Amino acid sequence: MARDDISRGEADRLRRLDDAARLDRTFEIIAAKGVVWVWGDEDEVLFTEDGERRTLLPVWPHATVARMENEGEVAGEHAIRIPAKAFLNEWLPQLEEDDAVIAVFPVEDRIAAVLDLADFRERLTAALR
């Protein structure tokens, strides 16, 4: 198991939390580990869209939960590790240009929260203090 991974059992326990608890735990874990996880392949990060046709970037607190959510979908896709500070300083400005929002810790058809970039930045900055 890589240093950023958790067991599937621990990941499953996190996945079963209600939305509010998954949201809170996501920021706690990102702050503790200093890492945000997204999904993609060698060429790009994968976005999704919601019923309101907003562009969503799904993020997870651990590679294991990202894999459990996406496993078996497309060969070559994998969890992508992004340092939290790089996410704040480099990714969020780019996401703003892309008019995207953040889908925090999606599990099946449940997203813990959809946060606009300002809310995500505020919560992550506070967690990292």
Side-chain angles (χ1 to χ4, degrees), residues 1 4-17 25 29 33 61-62 64-65 68 105:
M1 190 178 308
D4 290 319
D5 278 347
I6 58 173
S7 71
R8 288 182 71 87
E10 187 176 346
D12 195 46
R13 282 188 292 281
L14 287 172
R15 288 169 47 92
R16 286 194 309 260
L17 294 173
R25 286 294 295 143
I29 294 165
K33 300 282 186 180
H62 291 290
T64 305
V65 291
M68 288 174 76
F105 202 156

Side-chain angles (χ1 to χ4, degrees), residues 4 6 13 15 27 34 38 61 72 79 82 87 98 101 104 108 121 123 127:
D4 290 319
I6 58 173
R13 282 188 292 281
R15 288 169 47 92
F27 285 101
V38 298
I82 304 165
F87 195 84
D98 296 337
V101 294
V104 179
E108 297 167 4
R121 176 181 282 113
R123 288 188 75 137

Side-chain angles (χ1 to χ4, degrees), residues 36-80:
V36 175
W37 291 92
V38 298
W39 193 255
D41 59 25
E42 295 306 316
D43 298 318
E44 64 186 352
V45 169
L46 299 180
F47 291 81
T48 190
E49 196 173 83
D50 68 5
E52 298 173 32
R53 307 208 32 93
R54 295 180 294 183
T55 300
L56 306 173
L57 176 64
V59 300
W60 292 272
H62 291 290
T64 305
V65 291
R67 279 194 296 276
M68 288 174 76
E69 186 61 24
N70 294 285
E71 66 191 350
E73 294 205 6
V74 177
E77 292 181 359
H78 58 275
I80 299 170

Side-chain angles (χ1 to χ4, degrees), residues 87-102:
F87 195 84
L88 280 172
N89 299 324
E90 299 166 25
W91 285 67
L92 288 182
Q94 181 60 49
L95 291 170
E96 198 162 14
E97 289 179 22
D98 296 337
D99 198 29
V101 294
I102 306 290

